[in-house]
Amino acid sequence: MNTHKSEKFHAKTETEGSVCTVSLIGELDLSVAPDFRLVMEPLVGDTGLDLVINLKDLRYIDSTGIGILLSILKARHGMDVKFTVEEVPPQIQKLFDMTGISKFFAPQENSH
């Protein structure tokens, strides 16, 4: 398990079998975006892993954080590998709904 921490944000990475879960904790905004990108960079391109982002403990996300999630989604979709976002807190779900991106992070039963 790897953990990357700053004062207000950290990402915890756990791999079990072919599933890598990255749990985001705290506040994901412009100031910590480089840390988040550093954690995600080697994982996004790994076609042998199903990538899951868990937002259960994320308190806040700004447009930069949303942009990173969308870029991961686009990259993973282009490689035809699985990417899901789970356990979205109500306040973040509301933001996803308002910005119209919820549909992109909804679980896909038959994505192929």
Side-chain angles (χ1 to χ4, degrees), residues 5-83:
K5 290 186 177 189
S6 77
E7 287 292 314
K8 64 179 186 174
F9 171 81
H10 72 274
K12 184 173 68 173
T13 306
E14 295 181 76
T15 303
E16 197 172 305
S18 65
V19 178
C20 179
T21 301
V22 181
S23 298
L24 306 185
I25 300 151
E27 300 177 7
L28 175 54
D29 62 18
L30 179 63
S31 67
V32 297
D35 296 336
F36 182 46
R37 287 186 211 277
L38 197 63
V39 170
M40 296 309 299
E41 205 169 278
L43 302 173
V44 171
D46 189 339
T47 58
L49 287 176
D50 289 347
L51 188 56
V52 177
I53 303 283
N54 185 301
L55 303 182
K56 179 178 70 172
D57 295 315
L58 192 68
R59 292 186 309 272
Y60 174 80
I61 188 168
D62 72 356
S63 59
T64 304
I66 290 172
I68 295 170
L69 290 178
L70 288 172
S71 67
I72 294 167
L73 176 74
K74 184 177 179 183
R76 299 287 290 180
H77 182 76
M79 294 182 287
D80 199 26
V81 286
K82 193 170 181 181
F83 173 65

